[in-house]
Amino acid sequence: SLWSSELLGYHALTDIPTGLEAFKKSIPVVHYPALCASTALAVYSFFKWNIMSLAFAGSFASTYFSFNIIRYQLKHVTISPNYGNSFRKIKRWMQRRRVADEKNTLNESLNGSRDATNNGVLQYIFLKLPFELYAGYNLGWSVSLLNIIVHKSITSVLFDAVLAYVSLSALLGVGCYMMWKEKKGLCYGVGVGLAWYLFGVFFELVHPSTVVYTTYSDVDIAAIKYMSVTFAGILVSIVALWAIKHVIKGGKRKRLDEEHDEEEEDDDDVGKFVLHGIASVESGGRRIIDEAGDGVDHVSMVIDDALDEAEDGVERVFDAMGV
């Protein structure tokens, strides 16, 4: 079930003697309260206290804790990528066995694989996706707060514009890496969270505030606006491409399974025909042997009678000769 999932990290506490070691090993349980506290600090500092440096510290800390949780979850993926291949090999091996008990075991394995797949989807939606979405969006927000702090420290319009361009490019790179680089899993939610933040930047710059107008030129505002929506579109496109790829791969895998099933059914039919032929030849051979055995017995009886008659004839000849 979801409550007992290894992705939550509660079971790992039984193997960790101290809380410090649990923190060093990035067990999610010790990061949950820290994530909540840092998020509350960032929100209050930004919206209520208007302390950007404290908001950045809280946002950066919550991003750190979120990625630690994601890193732990990537190390404890419950369904292996090669599970389907190995399962199909087991399935084909078992289908070659013509035993009723093995067929029942195969059906149980099929049902078990479906349950495992469904459970894996639910685990990703409820246990991994929320952290990935939050980590992606919060990473973008942290970069935005950093830009605000730098703008207050360095009053240079050109530097602010260059920093904004670099920040957007860096967010795109992180999102592409998290979704495209094959690890022990792909963090689609991080890219979607970043795209969510970038779309927010675009809509905010459609009607920019007075502070933005006084900080950036019209050219820079337009460039940042269209860069953000373009990068968001790229991230969403990557997610769509991976989704299409998995759909195609799933359909291909299903067709291969069906073809294997048909081949195995044909093999079963041929095997039944061969077995029937062997049984027919065996029964026919037994009839031939039985008939041949009856003929041999009859011939031997005739020979024995002839030998007896010949012996009697020889004795009669000897008696007539007085021998």
Side-chain angles (χ1 to χ4, degrees):
S1 64
L2 296 178
W3 291 106
S4 60
S5 174
E6 189 176 4
L7 297 177
L8 292 175
Y10 288 106
H11 75 288
L13 291 178
T14 59
D15 301 328
I16 305 297
T18 64
L20 180 60
E21 292 184 6
F23 185 83
K24 290 181 178 179
K25 292 181 179 294
S26 297
I27 304 301
V29 175
V30 299
H31 290 306
Y32 294 150
L35 177 61
C36 296
S38 58
T39 301
L41 175 64
V43 171
Y44 272 89
S45 299
F46 183 81
F47 292 102
K48 191 173 182 178
W49 302 331
N50 197 25
I51 305 176
M52 295 299 106
S53 58
L54 194 58
F56 172 74
S59 177
F60 180 81
S62 61
T63 303
Y64 170 77
F65 295 131
S66 298
F67 275 101
N68 271 338
I69 294 172
I70 293 172
R71 184 175 61 182
Y72 175 86
Q73 292 177 342
L74 288 176
K75 292 180 181 179
H76 296 81
V77 178
T78 55
I79 297 179
S80 172
N82 297 323
Y83 176 81
N85 296 330
S86 58
F87 175 74
R88 285 195 300 276
K89 293 178 181 178
I90 295 173
K91 175 186 172 183
R92 288 197 293 271
W93 179 82
M94 294 183 68
Q95 282 183 337
R96 294 191 185 100
R97 327 299 289 181
R98 298 178 178 86
V99 181
D101 293 338
E102 292 178 347
K103 289 182 179 179
N104 294 333
T105 305
L106 176 60
N107 293 329
E108 293 176 358
S109 301
L110 285 168
N111 295 330
S113 69
R114 296 190 188 97
D115 294 339
T117 302
N118 294 332
N119 190 35
V121 172
L122 292 176
Q123 286 188 16
Y124 180 78
I125 293 175
F126 291 105
L127 302 182
K128 295 183 66 176
L129 183 60
F131 293 107
E132 294 178 3
L133 288 173
Y134 181 76
Y137 185 87
N138 204 52
L139 177 62
W141 190 36
S142 299
V143 172
S144 177
L145 292 173
L146 179 62
N147 278 262
I148 294 174
I149 295 173
V150 173
H151 168 68
K152 290 183 177 181
S153 302
I154 303 175
T155 57
S156 172
V157 176
L158 178 61
F159 183 81
D160 291 338
V162 172
L163 181 60
Y165 299 148
V166 173
S167 299
L168 292 175
S169 301
L171 292 177
L172 175 65
V174 172
C176 292
Y177 173 80
M178 295 300 292
M179 290 191 299
W180 195 265
K181 178 68 175 178
E182 184 70 42
K183 301 172 284 297
K184 285 188 176 181
L186 294 171
C187 301
Y188 302 107
V190 174
V192 175
L194 285 171
W196 176 20
Y197 171 78
L198 292 173
F199 278 124
V201 172
F202 170 77
F203 287 111
E204 184 178 355
L205 293 180
V206 171
H207 301 288
S209 63
T210 305
V211 176
V212 174
Y213 260 129
T214 57
T215 303
Y216 302 98
S217 64
D218 293 338
V219 176
D220 292 333
I221 292 174
I224 295 172
K225 179 173 64 175
Y226 290 113
M227 280 183 64
S228 61
V229 73
T230 302
F231 290 170
I234 292 173
L235 294 174
V236 173
S237 299
I238 293 175
V239 174
L241 287 174
W242 273 109
I244 294 172
K245 178 183 177 181
H246 285 303
V247 169
I248 294 174
K249 185 183 293 186
K252 183 178 179 181
R253 183 178 299 171
K254 184 178 180 181
R255 288 194 299 271
L256 290 175
D257 288 340
E258 291 175 354
E259 291 176 0
H260 284 304
D261 293 340
E262 292 177 356
E263 291 176 359
E264 288 163 1
E265 289 177 0
D266 294 338
D267 293 340
D268 291 341
D269 294 337
V270 173
K272 291 178 182 178
F273 177 77
V274 171
L275 292 175
H276 179 71
I278 293 174
S280 300
V281 171
E282 184 179 0
S283 60
R286 288 177 178 175
R287 287 196 300 270
I288 293 173
I289 292 172
D290 292 339
E291 293 177 358
D294 294 340
V296 170
D297 293 338
H298 178 70
V299 171
S300 62
M301 290 176 62
V302 171
I303 293 173
D304 290 338
D305 293 340
L307 290 176
D308 292 338
E309 292 178 358
E311 185 179 357
D312 293 340
V314 170
E315 289 178 355
R316 284 196 297 273
V317 171
F318 287 160
D319 291 339
M321 295 176 61
V323 176

